[in-house]
Amino acid sequence: KNQVEQSPQSLIILEGKNCTLQCNYTVSPFSNLRWYKQDTGRGPVSLTIMTFSENTKSNGRYTATLDADTKQSSLHITASQLSDSASYICVVTDSWGKLQFGAGTQVVVTP
Amino acid sequence: DAGVTQSPTHLIKTRGQHVTLRCSPISGHKSVSWYQQVLGQGPQFIFQYYEKEERGRGNFPDRFSARQFPNYSSELNVNALLLGDSALYLCASSLADVGAGGYNEQFFGPGTRLTVL
């Protein structure tokens, strides 16, 4: 069973609207959680990173939250743009440095 | 500064053939990891090398092998290709060994798209 589950699998939003992606994990012991943006056919690019003690981290219009008690994270995209169309992958690192990847949420922003 | 580079960008092979994929890490990075990403899924870990030594291996058959050179570049080799090997192969580099944990971020290359016919 995958230790990192993301939802929804995909979503379509209108340009200018906001959306929130979810990530639940069971990875333990926990080191950090990253959100990556992956354009089609390209490598993932890091958006945010949070450790156990961090609850929120922003990068421009992207805001990630982390609840280490419930092992949940979210990525909020504000005022979406066409360039936000991509797959967003949640990656959890354990204390030994092993990365566990979620399957990603495919976001499509339409005009 | 150049990021992680991979070659070739695209590759088409037939079943049973052999393929070699190449990766050059960010200058100064000594750790290289390889991932396989099937369409619609997250990357799956294949290998990790640090200072030319294999430090980790994922659940892949022996048809998959890799090595790291003195300049820290790396090759991933796949023998006896199967249709199921069709995927995006990602290389990631980091400054320290993956086991260092913390903020030792892995930087990904653009990937090599392998199609097996």
Side-chain angles (χ1 to χ4, degrees):
Chain A
K1 188 180 186 299
N2 196 358
Q3 297 185 56
V4 180
E5 300 286 348
Q6 292 188 241
S7 62
Q9 185 176 14
S10 63
L11 67 94
I12 301 173
I13 59 173
L14 289 175
E15 187 178 11
K17 298 296 185 181
N18 304 334
C19 69
T20 300
L21 316 178
Q22 300 291 340
C23 173
N24 296 336
Y25 63 92
T26 58
V27 176
S28 181
F30 172 88
S31 176
N32 61 68
L33 183 148
R34 288 189 174 94
W35 282 93
Y36 281 89
K37 177 185 179 186
Q38 185 176 22
D39 293 317
T40 301
R42 309 292 294 177
V45 175
S46 179
L47 293 174
T48 63
I49 178 173
M50 290 178 292
T51 60
F52 185 88
S53 59
E54 296 175 296
N55 301 118
T56 186
K57 187 72 69 76
S58 292
N59 178 359
R61 295 178 297 100
Y62 300 102
T63 299
T65 65
L66 173 65
D67 185 334
D69 292 331
T70 63
K71 297 187 177 181
Q72 296 179 324
S73 176
S74 66
L75 180 68
H76 186 75
I77 305 176
T78 303
S80 61
Q81 301 177 358
L82 297 179
S83 60
D84 293 331
S85 294
S87 178
Y88 292 84
I89 303 175
C90 176
V91 184
V92 181
T93 305
D94 66 22
S95 296
W96 295 284
K98 184 177 180 181
L99 277 64
Q100 297 286 352
F101 290 80
T105 292
Q106 186 67 45
V107 174
V108 176
V109 181
T110 63
Chain B
D1 284 337
V4 177
T5 60
Q6 292 186 243
S7 64
T9 54
H10 295 85
L11 201 54
I12 298 176
K13 292 285 189 178
T14 57
R15 282 175 294 176
Q17 286 189 310
H18 162 271
V19 67
T20 297
L21 310 181
R22 296 177 175 82
C23 170
S24 292
I26 293 173
S27 178
H29 284 193
K30 299 181 179 180
S31 175
V32 170
S33 297
W34 287 96
Y35 297 87
Q36 180 195 66
Q37 187 177 25
V38 175
L39 195 63
Q41 298 181 19
Q44 297 292 319
F45 171 70
I46 309 176
F47 287 108
Q48 188 244 332
Y49 278 79
Y50 179 75
E51 288 281 17
K52 302 179 288 293
E53 291 186 359
E54 181 182 303
R55 304 290 276 215
R57 175 186 286 253
N59 188 26
F60 280 81
D62 292 342
R63 299 185 295 108
F64 289 76
S65 63
R67 56 179 175 170
Q68 186 177 33
F69 299 99
N71 66 354
Y72 303 112
S73 66
S74 177
E75 282 183 354
L76 175 69
N77 295 284
V78 186
N79 293 324
L81 286 167
L82 303 174
L83 296 179
D85 295 331
S86 295
L88 181 68
Y89 287 85
L90 296 166
C91 172
S93 76
S94 61
L95 193 61
D97 193 359
V98 170
Y103 276 62
N104 183 34
E105 181 175 356
Q106 291 196 18
F107 295 84
F108 287 85
T112 293
R113 171 67 63 186
L114 172 65
T115 301
V116 182
L117 301 176

